[in-house]
Amino acid sequence: MRTGLLGVGWDDHSSHARGPARAPALIRAALHDPAGNPFAADLTNVLDPDILHDHGDCHLAGDADDADRITAAAAAVLESGDALLTLGGDHAVTYPILRAVAARWPGVRIVHVDAHPDLYDDFEGDPLSHASPFARIMEQGLARRLLQIGIRADTPHLRAQAERFGVRTYPPDDIDTALMAIAALGDGPVYLSFDLDGLDPAFAPGVNHHEPGGLTVREALRIIDALPGQLVGADVVELAPARDVNGTTATVAARLVKQIVARIHRGG
Ligand code: MN
Ligand code: MN
């Protein structure tokens, strides 16, 4: 399957600091950086136009209709027949994206890498907050299953929300159990939502919410390769360029993108 790339520079619903709106161009630049080569670990050439097609950036106007614009842009990529890979933006992008993904792939299962569960019912009065996308997704039945990996910033409210929605949560120490749970999802459509703060800030300092004790890049690549079934969509979110150091986090994001594109290309 070909991957359709879509930039979604939306951070109006960040709770703490802005910045991820500027991330798509930087991840693209890292992907095309001549200091590296375009091959994934399995030797897929991820810059081959038959393997990766860039649909450009979602047009946003900074008003209340932007969520609908993101849903429409995601739907257009899926209607082209491509698997959808979006470059965020903060994590608020995932709810409008999943409205499009669930319409095309009912029963999709989500694998979510993050330090945070992002299950707040209503964070600081904003139901579209980047801390709330998975509450919206689960209460609207947009995903059949939700597995969360790398979680280490839980609260009593978030734990109750996870129980309410039947979400399985794996802290970083449970990576091996998480990999088995991912494999056990079996056949059918799968979506990967990757918040870069799921990684340890030593690997990915360019995020607004540092939570030490996170996943390694190698573990993240293992998660991508463990995804079963058909990978129909993915997002890479929360890159905050002003916090990055020497483009390290953008380069990590590009590495994840390569692994995701190769996984989509292999099919399932
Ligand atoms: Mn998140
Ligand atoms: Mn996070």
Side-chain angles (χ1 to χ4, degrees):
M1 201 172 190
R2 192 176 74 167
T3 298
L5 200 66
L6 178 69
V8 185
W10 197 45
D11 66 6
D12 293 358
H13 295 272
S14 282
S15 60
H16 169 66
R18 305 283 288 271
R22 296 195 294 115
L26 293 168
I27 300 173
R28 279 197 183 89
L31 193 59
H32 292 269
D33 187 345
N37 69 56
F39 295 94
D42 70 353
L43 304 186
T44 298
N45 180 351
V46 303
L47 296 185
D48 182 328
D50 291 332
I51 293 174
L52 178 68
H53 177 74
D54 197 334
H55 292 255
D57 285 345
C58 179
H59 170 72
L60 299 172
D63 61 27
D65 293 332
D66 276 350
D68 290 341
R69 292 186 179 96
I70 293 167
T71 302
V77 172
L78 292 167
E79 282 160 17
S80 78
D82 288 348
L84 173 67
L85 173 52
T86 64
L87 308 178
D90 69 23
H91 224 151
V93 303
T94 304
Y95 166 53
I97 289 167
L98 254 291
R99 292 192 299 204
V101 170
R104 184 162 180 100
W105 301 101
V108 68
R109 290 82 44 82
I110 300 176
V111 174
H112 166 207
V113 178
D114 205 322
H116 314 89
D118 292 351
L119 284 165
Y120 279 98
D121 184 46
D122 181 345
F123 192 76
E124 296 176 345
D126 181 7
L128 292 180
S129 169
H130 74 149
S132 299
F134 296 97
R136 302 289 85 76
I137 287 165
M138 297 310 282
E139 71 196 7
Q140 294 179 27
L142 300 180
R144 179 175 292 166
R145 297 282 309 280
L146 174 57
L147 305 185
Q148 302 186 316
I149 303 153
I151 305 298
R152 56 195 186 280
D154 227 338
T155 70
H157 168 68
L158 293 169
R159 183 61 56 87
Q161 288 282 86
E163 287 173 13
R164 173 184 166 204
F165 295 124
V167 178
R168 296 301 305 272
T169 300
Y170 302 89
D173 282 342
D174 291 354
I175 180 68
D176 291 322
T177 311
L179 288 166
M180 285 189 284
I182 292 169
L185 288 171
D187 290 339
V190 174
Y191 183 92
L192 173 68
S193 187
F194 201 105
D195 183 329
L196 290 162
D197 71 30
L199 297 168
D200 193 275
F203 297 100
V207 297
N208 279 328
H209 303 266
H210 283 178
E211 289 290 348
L215 300 171
T216 68
V217 175
R218 298 286 350 146
E219 288 168 338
L221 297 173
R222 287 174 68 198
I223 288 168
I224 294 166
D225 281 340
L227 296 169
Q230 187 174 10
L231 185 57
V232 299
D235 59 61
V236 178
V237 298
E238 295 285 352
L239 172 65
R243 303 264 284 175
D244 206 1
V245 179
N246 295 331
T248 301
T249 313
T251 304
V252 167
R255 179 81 248 170
L256 299 176
V257 164
K258 286 182 181 178
Q259 201 89 351
I260 291 166
V261 171
R263 172 64 187 79
I264 289 170
H265 178 64
R266 288 200 300 275

